[in-house]
Amino acid sequence: MKDHSAKLSILRTLSRGGFHSGEELGDALGMSRAAVSKHIKGIQAWGVDVFRVQGKGYRLAQPLQMLDEEALKQGVSKPISLIPIIDSTNQYLLERSESLESGAVCIAEYQAKGRGRRGREWVSPFGSNLYMSMFWRLDAGMAAAWVKPCRRCRYRRSTGATRYRWC
């Protein structure tokens, strides 16, 4: 897995609000302003709107609350893996399926190669949604998986009434 610690550190600083100069961010991370600028471009590629004002620095266009792994694990008995940047939460669990217990969860802030239904591309901007996969071991093995799992999705129609849709 690629190391995204510098970008995540910059995001944590920017998520506190206000402007932060490239020099301030670089000093905190032990890197040059040019390196900070390169990391900011990478953050923008994740779908985060970061803008720059000359003489003031960088700032997030919208407030951002990053996930807290310790808070997520409170009161939960099943294992939770918070991996801020991942190719695919589903692929992560599939690669570890032999060692996982049923109910294990993988959560991410951003998926670089997430897949939707029928293999379609899954667009997942950083910090905009909760990207999660759950591993469930079937007692009867994969033979029990022939029934397509259903999930109830709530959506709001133009009338304002809440309706349910089965996927």
Side-chain angles (χ1 to χ4, degrees):
M1 241 182 276
K2 191 173 177 181
D3 180 27
H4 297 288
S5 58
K7 288 180 184 75
L8 293 170
S9 182
I10 290 170
L11 270 173
R12 277 188 216 92
T13 301
L14 294 176
S15 68
R16 294 183 199 130
F19 283 96
H20 300 273
S21 71
E23 184 176 359
E24 170 195 341
L25 295 168
D27 287 346
L29 295 169
M31 63 176 65
S32 67
R33 289 185 303 172
V36 169
S37 176
K38 181 180 174 185
H39 286 298
I40 294 287
K41 288 178 183 169
I43 291 168
Q44 290 171 326
W46 293 343
V48 179
D49 195 8
V50 180
F51 65 91
R52 179 179 155 262
V53 175
Q54 193 163 356
K56 286 189 163 188
Y58 299 99
R59 180 180 181 165
L60 293 176
Q62 300 291 323
L64 176 69
Q65 182 179 359
M66 296 177 68
L67 296 174
D68 178 359
E69 187 169 14
E70 295 307 314
L72 289 170
K73 288 182 176 181
Q74 287 180 352
V76 178
S77 62
K78 299 296 183 181
I80 295 178
S81 299
L82 173 61
I83 303 169
I85 312 299
I86 197 168
D87 284 344
S88 165
T89 57
N90 195 37
Q91 190 63 39
Y92 175 86
L93 292 177
L94 285 172
E95 290 169 359
R96 289 153 183 79
S97 63
E98 295 301 318
S99 62
L100 292 174
E101 70 176 79
S102 197
V105 174
C106 179
I107 301 174
E109 297 266 14
Y110 173 78
Q111 290 188 113
K113 297 178 183 172
R115 295 182 309 271
R117 289 179 49 189
R118 299 182 181 155
R120 293 184 179 132
E121 182 182 354
W122 181 266
V123 178
S124 56
F126 187 96
S128 298
N129 299 297
L130 183 63
Y131 308 108
M132 179 186 95
S133 293
M134 177 185 244
F135 175 78
W136 201 262
R137 190 172 308 282
L138 301 171
D139 291 336
M142 287 307 292
W146 68 270
V147 176
K148 181 182 175 188
C150 292
R151 59 188 164 111
R152 190 168 67 177
C153 305
R154 210 168 77 164
Y155 69 96
R156 196 171 295 277
R157 295 178 55 134
S158 59
T159 61
T162 301
R163 304 283 181 167
Y164 291 95
R165 177 175 65 103
W166 292 91
C167 308

